[in-house]
Amino acid sequence: MRIYRELALRSFRQVLTYRGATLAGLFTNAIFGVIIASVFIGYYGAVDGAAVRGWSEQQTITLMWISQSILMVMYLWGWWEIARTIQTGAVAMDMLKPVNFVGYWLSRDLGRAAAQMIVRFVPTFIIGNLLYSLLAPASIANAVAFFASIALGVVVSFGWRFLLNISGFWLVDHRGINYVAMAAINILSGLLIPLAFLPDPILAVVNLLPFRAIVMIPGEIYLGQIPIAEGLAIQVFWSVALLLLGGWVFSLGEKKVVVQGG
Amino acid sequence: MDSLRTLRTLGEELVICRRIAALRLRGQMEYRTSFLMQIGGTLLGQSTELAALVILFHRFGSLGGWNVGEVIFLHAVSQIIFSLADTISNGVQTIPVTIREGEFDRLMIRPVSTWLQAMVNDVSLRHLGMLIQGSILMGWALWAVPIDWTAGKVALLLVSIVSGVALFTVIFTIEAIVAFWTVNSIEAVNAFTYGGSDLAQYPFHIFGRGIRFIFLWIVPIGFVVYYPSLTILDKPDPLGLPGIAPLMAPLMAALFCAAVGLLWTIGVRHYRSTGS
């Protein structure tokens, strides 16, 4: 266990060293947060601020700032570290290490996410609160569960990204998959719009997919839009399912891998 | 005499640059599958945002007093501008990497403008997926919104698009200029490139005073998309700027380009090679 903790701590510190990049990222998050919030305020103006599909203006805006704040924590786009090690052959070295391959990358990702909570989530969420009167968590229990839900969201997000990455055992070029993955995350996770806005038949399908466990459920738990136990249970299910699936697919890829020496 | 020589040098530079660009393009066409995949991918990514827009209009009916066709017109203009600028400035966007790897020196010892060289060094057509989508959206908007086209409106649209392409190309250049000092904070420029093109897709008056000030008077994106569109769609200006505002796109873009051009010169002068 100590080795996993150590791995997590390493990547935690690594994130903290890039201060300039963090500041720049915060600025970009803030501008996008303001643009998105302004657009939703505009939409709600058309219905005189009435709730739409059970979502009030303040709830929607709070949800959008939560998404902006956890964007880098979840690392939704462009994480191809494992795929690159498969391309370069460095993956062979990682496979030789006396640690579980999934555990090795998961602990690194958890360390990274923890650091992003401090440098990206907290400041972005404070900026959102200063610019807009965001809603407080539905209760103290919801606030506590919110953080648990973010942690589980990171595991689900990692499980998804792990699968995308190890597709590199079979695919030479991950760009095509990257586009499909980005499109899926955008529309199916609740990043662009609260999922409740989707037409019912589509919503019924989307609710069966893992993506809402990454962005939507943490937001719903914060706002009290979903029973805490139900939200966390869905996330636990997808965390376990995706990690097991990842481990199994990896074992298939492991047998197939051929690394050129030299 | 001097200006004549400058003009001739510029002509020669353009010939060289065109040749480099043609070479790069031919190289890319060797990887046709990868190229088509990237175009398809951009289309797919953009279509999710369009789906979100359609769903939101289905739920809310209008945005800032504009109907879905009018907002799609803004989306079309903004995406056409952005995709052209993104395509042109692809090379400029790679300057930060060039600088970090010490490769920028190579550009400096050649007798062609560094900016032009950087620009044609990495010409890429992969962002054109967005142009396809922009054109489809334009078709949709023209079908959905009855516009009284006049020669003046067509000219206004074309001039605004050209001004917009120049403006965004130059915003991408700022990223490169920042990199002459630090390669750490260039992500901040994304707020104006991606953020700016995103914002331009919506009726400008729904934004607050602060955002409006930034995107009109510092980075004049509002002048190249929103104001010309007001005139083309025959809508009144809820912000109450003088009646000349819809015609300001070329002037504002030119002023912005001149300012950034000056910064570029200062940046190149400040440049110290990484020496590796």
mmCIF file of all heavy atoms in Angstrom, chain A residues 156-175:
data_model
loop_
_atom_site.group_PDB
_atom_site.id
_atom_site.type_symbol
_atom_site.label_atom_id
_atom_site.label_comp_id
_atom_site.label_asym_id
_atom_site.label_seq_id
_atom_site.Cartn_x
_atom_site.Cartn_y
_atom_site.Cartn_z
ATOM 1 N N VAL A 156 -14.238 6.954 -11.706
ATOM 2 C CA VAL A 156 -14.990 6.606 -12.919
ATOM 3 C C VAL A 156 -14.311 7.212 -14.144
ATOM 4 O O VAL A 156 -14.095 6.547 -15.156
ATOM 5 C CB VAL A 156 -16.459 7.092 -12.836
ATOM 6 C CG1 VAL A 156 -17.199 6.777 -14.133
ATOM 7 C CG2 VAL A 156 -17.173 6.437 -11.656
ATOM 8 N N SER A 157 -13.955 8.501 -14.012
ATOM 9 C CA SER A 157 -13.272 9.180 -15.118
ATOM 10 C C SER A 157 -11.975 8.456 -15.472
ATOM 11 O O SER A 157 -11.667 8.238 -16.647
ATOM 12 C CB SER A 157 -12.989 10.636 -14.724
ATOM 13 O OG SER A 157 -11.933 11.155 -15.483
ATOM 14 N N PHE A 158 -11.228 8.051 -14.428
ATOM 15 C CA PHE A 158 -9.985 7.328 -14.687
ATOM 16 C C PHE A 158 -10.266 6.010 -15.402
ATOM 17 O O PHE A 158 -9.589 5.652 -16.360
ATOM 18 C CB PHE A 158 -9.218 7.061 -13.383
ATOM 19 C CG PHE A 158 -8.078 6.114 -13.575
ATOM 20 C CD1 PHE A 158 -6.876 6.561 -14.100
ATOM 21 C CD2 PHE A 158 -8.220 4.762 -13.273
ATOM 22 C CE1 PHE A 158 -5.835 5.676 -14.313
ATOM 23 C CE2 PHE A 158 -7.183 3.870 -13.488
ATOM 24 C CZ PHE A 158 -5.992 4.329 -14.008
ATOM 25 N N GLY A 159 -11.293 5.283 -14.922
ATOM 26 C CA GLY A 159 -11.645 3.997 -15.521
ATOM 27 C C GLY A 159 -11.928 4.141 -17.012
ATOM 28 O O GLY A 159 -11.467 3.352 -17.841
ATOM 29 N N TRP A 160 -12.638 5.202 -17.345
ATOM 30 C CA TRP A 160 -12.974 5.510 -18.738
ATOM 31 C C TRP A 160 -11.718 5.856 -19.526
ATOM 32 O O TRP A 160 -11.463 5.311 -20.605
ATOM 33 C CB TRP A 160 -13.988 6.654 -18.747
ATOM 34 C CG TRP A 160 -14.212 7.374 -20.041
ATOM 35 C CD1 TRP A 160 -13.942 8.701 -20.285
ATOM 36 C CD2 TRP A 160 -14.780 6.862 -21.252
ATOM 37 N NE1 TRP A 160 -14.284 9.029 -21.561
ATOM 38 C CE2 TRP A 160 -14.812 7.923 -22.177
ATOM 39 C CE3 TRP A 160 -15.249 5.606 -21.635
ATOM 40 C CZ2 TRP A 160 -15.301 7.770 -23.471
ATOM 41 C CZ3 TRP A 160 -15.741 5.457 -22.933
ATOM 42 C CH2 TRP A 160 -15.760 6.539 -23.829
ATOM 43 N N ARG A 161 -10.880 6.726 -18.961
ATOM 44 C CA ARG A 161 -9.661 7.141 -19.673
ATOM 45 C C ARG A 161 -8.677 5.986 -19.808
ATOM 46 O O ARG A 161 -7.958 5.868 -20.798
ATOM 47 C CB ARG A 161 -8.995 8.305 -18.929
ATOM 48 C CG ARG A 161 -9.720 9.620 -19.131
ATOM 49 C CD ARG A 161 -9.071 10.743 -18.355
ATOM 50 N NE ARG A 161 -9.415 10.710 -16.947
ATOM 51 C CZ ARG A 161 -8.531 10.764 -15.962
ATOM 52 N NH1 ARG A 161 -7.252 10.851 -16.229
ATOM 53 N NH2 ARG A 161 -8.929 10.754 -14.711
ATOM 54 N N PHE A 162 -8.644 5.113 -18.787
ATOM 55 C CA PHE A 162 -7.758 3.949 -18.846
ATOM 56 C C PHE A 162 -8.128 3.071 -20.038
ATOM 57 O O PHE A 162 -7.273 2.660 -20.818
ATOM 58 C CB PHE A 162 -7.866 3.163 -17.530
ATOM 59 C CG PHE A 162 -6.930 1.992 -17.447
ATOM 60 C CD1 PHE A 162 -5.606 2.159 -17.055
ATOM 61 C CD2 PHE A 162 -7.367 0.710 -17.779
ATOM 62 C CE1 PHE A 162 -4.740 1.078 -16.980
ATOM 63 C CE2 PHE A 162 -6.500 -0.378 -17.714
ATOM 64 C CZ PHE A 162 -5.189 -0.196 -17.317
ATOM 65 N N LEU A 163 -9.446 2.820 -20.181
ATOM 66 C CA LEU A 163 -9.901 2.009 -21.314
ATOM 67 C C LEU A 163 -9.530 2.657 -22.645
ATOM 68 O O LEU A 163 -9.058 1.997 -23.570
ATOM 69 C CB LEU A 163 -11.420 1.811 -21.245
ATOM 70 C CG LEU A 163 -11.899 0.720 -20.282
ATOM 71 C CD1 LEU A 163 -13.402 0.801 -20.091
ATOM 72 C CD2 LEU A 163 -11.501 -0.654 -20.809
ATOM 73 N N LEU A 164 -9.765 3.979 -22.749
ATOM 74 C CA LEU A 164 -9.418 4.684 -23.989
ATOM 75 C C LEU A 164 -7.933 4.516 -24.279
ATOM 76 O O LEU A 164 -7.534 4.253 -25.415
ATOM 77 C CB LEU A 164 -9.729 6.179 -23.856
ATOM 78 C CG LEU A 164 -11.189 6.601 -23.799
ATOM 79 C CD1 LEU A 164 -11.265 8.117 -23.613
ATOM 80 C CD2 LEU A 164 -11.911 6.202 -25.086
ATOM 81 N N ASN A 165 -7.117 4.670 -23.232
ATOM 82 C CA ASN A 165 -5.671 4.623 -23.417
ATOM 83 C C ASN A 165 -5.176 3.258 -23.869
ATOM 84 O O ASN A 165 -4.359 3.165 -24.776
ATOM 85 C CB ASN A 165 -4.964 5.019 -22.120
ATOM 86 C CG ASN A 165 -4.703 6.512 -22.053
ATOM 87 O OD1 ASN A 165 -3.650 6.984 -22.442
ATOM 88 N ND2 ASN A 165 -5.683 7.262 -21.588
ATOM 89 N N ILE A 166 -5.688 2.188 -23.200
ATOM 90 C CA ILE A 166 -5.133 0.884 -23.564
ATOM 91 C C ILE A 166 -5.703 0.364 -24.885
ATOM 92 O O ILE A 166 -5.277 -0.676 -25.364
ATOM 93 C CB ILE A 166 -5.299 -0.171 -22.444
ATOM 94 C CG1 ILE A 166 -6.768 -0.370 -22.100
ATOM 95 C CG2 ILE A 166 -4.504 0.233 -21.206
ATOM 96 C CD1 ILE A 166 -6.969 -1.532 -21.140
ATOM 97 N N SER A 167 -6.633 1.132 -25.480
ATOM 98 C CA SER A 167 -7.014 0.778 -26.847
ATOM 99 C C SER A 167 -5.777 0.898 -27.739
ATOM 100 O O SER A 167 -5.742 0.360 -28.841
ATOM 101 C CB SER A 167 -8.121 1.685 -27.360
ATOM 102 O OG SER A 167 -7.616 2.981 -27.589
ATOM 103 N N GLY A 168 -4.772 1.593 -27.216
ATOM 104 C CA GLY A 168 -3.514 1.748 -27.942
ATOM 105 C C GLY A 168 -2.808 0.433 -28.221
ATOM 106 O O GLY A 168 -1.947 0.349 -29.096
ATOM 107 N N PHE A 169 -3.164 -0.625 -27.481
ATOM 108 C CA PHE A 169 -2.587 -1.944 -27.780
ATOM 109 C C PHE A 169 -3.047 -2.437 -29.142
ATOM 110 O O PHE A 169 -2.394 -3.237 -29.790
ATOM 111 C CB PHE A 169 -3.012 -2.971 -26.720
ATOM 112 C CG PHE A 169 -2.231 -2.860 -25.439
ATOM 113 C CD1 PHE A 169 -2.884 -2.690 -24.226
ATOM 114 C CD2 PHE A 169 -0.846 -2.942 -25.445
ATOM 115 C CE1 PHE A 169 -2.158 -2.601 -23.047
ATOM 116 C CE2 PHE A 169 -0.121 -2.853 -24.267
ATOM 117 C CZ PHE A 169 -0.789 -2.676 -23.060
ATOM 118 N N TRP A 170 -4.241 -1.962 -29.541
ATOM 119 C CA TRP A 170 -4.798 -2.432 -30.818
ATOM 120 C C TRP A 170 -4.786 -1.359 -31.912
ATOM 121 O O TRP A 170 -4.705 -1.672 -33.074
ATOM 122 C CB TRP A 170 -6.234 -2.931 -30.615
ATOM 123 C CG TRP A 170 -6.292 -4.175 -29.783
ATOM 124 C CD1 TRP A 170 -6.217 -5.460 -30.230
ATOM 125 C CD2 TRP A 170 -6.403 -4.255 -28.358
ATOM 126 N NE1 TRP A 170 -6.279 -6.331 -29.173
ATOM 127 C CE2 TRP A 170 -6.392 -5.631 -28.016
ATOM 128 C CE3 TRP A 170 -6.505 -3.317 -27.330
ATOM 129 C CZ2 TRP A 170 -6.479 -6.070 -26.694
ATOM 130 C CZ3 TRP A 170 -6.597 -3.752 -26.025
ATOM 131 C CH2 TRP A 170 -6.589 -5.119 -25.709
ATOM 132 N N LEU A 171 -4.901 -0.077 -31.484
ATOM 133 C CA LEU A 171 -4.965 1.003 -32.462
ATOM 134 C C LEU A 171 -3.661 1.789 -32.459
ATOM 135 O O LEU A 171 -3.110 2.081 -31.399
ATOM 136 C CB LEU A 171 -6.118 1.953 -32.139
ATOM 137 C CG LEU A 171 -7.509 1.327 -32.071
ATOM 138 C CD1 LEU A 171 -8.509 2.324 -31.521
ATOM 139 C CD2 LEU A 171 -7.913 0.870 -33.466
ATOM 140 N N VAL A 172 -3.181 2.120 -33.642
ATOM 141 C CA VAL A 172 -1.928 2.851 -33.721
ATOM 142 C C VAL A 172 -2.154 4.330 -33.387
ATOM 143 O O VAL A 172 -1.370 4.969 -32.710
ATOM 144 C CB VAL A 172 -1.318 2.745 -35.141
ATOM 145 C CG1 VAL A 172 0.060 3.377 -35.170
ATOM 146 C CG2 VAL A 172 -1.268 1.295 -35.566
ATOM 147 N N ASP A 173 -3.286 4.862 -33.840
ATOM 148 C CA ASP A 173 -3.531 6.295 -33.754
ATOM 149 C C ASP A 173 -4.752 6.523 -32.862
ATOM 150 O O ASP A 173 -5.826 6.006 -33.147
ATOM 151 C CB ASP A 173 -3.795 6.821 -35.174
ATOM 152 C CG ASP A 173 -3.817 8.340 -35.216
ATOM 153 O OD1 ASP A 173 -3.904 8.957 -34.135
ATOM 154 O OD2 ASP A 173 -3.751 8.893 -36.328
ATOM 155 N N HIS A 174 -4.593 7.255 -31.767
ATOM 156 C CA HIS A 174 -5.728 7.425 -30.862
ATOM 157 C C HIS A 174 -6.555 8.666 -31.179
ATOM 158 O O HIS A 174 -7.489 8.992 -30.474
ATOM 159 C CB HIS A 174 -5.263 7.457 -29.412
ATOM 160 C CG HIS A 174 -4.282 8.544 -29.114
ATOM 161 N ND1 HIS A 174 -2.975 8.294 -28.768
ATOM 162 C CD2 HIS A 174 -4.419 9.879 -29.114
ATOM 163 C CE1 HIS A 174 -2.346 9.433 -28.572
ATOM 164 N NE2 HIS A 174 -3.196 10.412 -28.786
ATOM 165 N N ARG A 175 -6.216 9.384 -32.274
ATOM 166 C CA ARG A 175 -6.918 10.642 -32.533
ATOM 167 C C ARG A 175 -8.399 10.451 -32.838
ATOM 168 O O ARG A 175 -9.245 11.188 -32.368
ATOM 169 C CB ARG A 175 -6.235 11.412 -33.660
ATOM 170 C CG ARG A 175 -5.156 12.328 -33.133
ATOM 171 C CD ARG A 175 -4.488 13.052 -34.246
ATOM 172 N NE ARG A 175 -3.900 12.114 -35.216
ATOM 173 C CZ ARG A 175 -3.006 12.458 -36.116
ATOM 174 N NH1 ARG A 175 -2.602 13.693 -36.199
ATOM 175 N NH2 ARG A 175 -2.527 11.580 -36.953
#
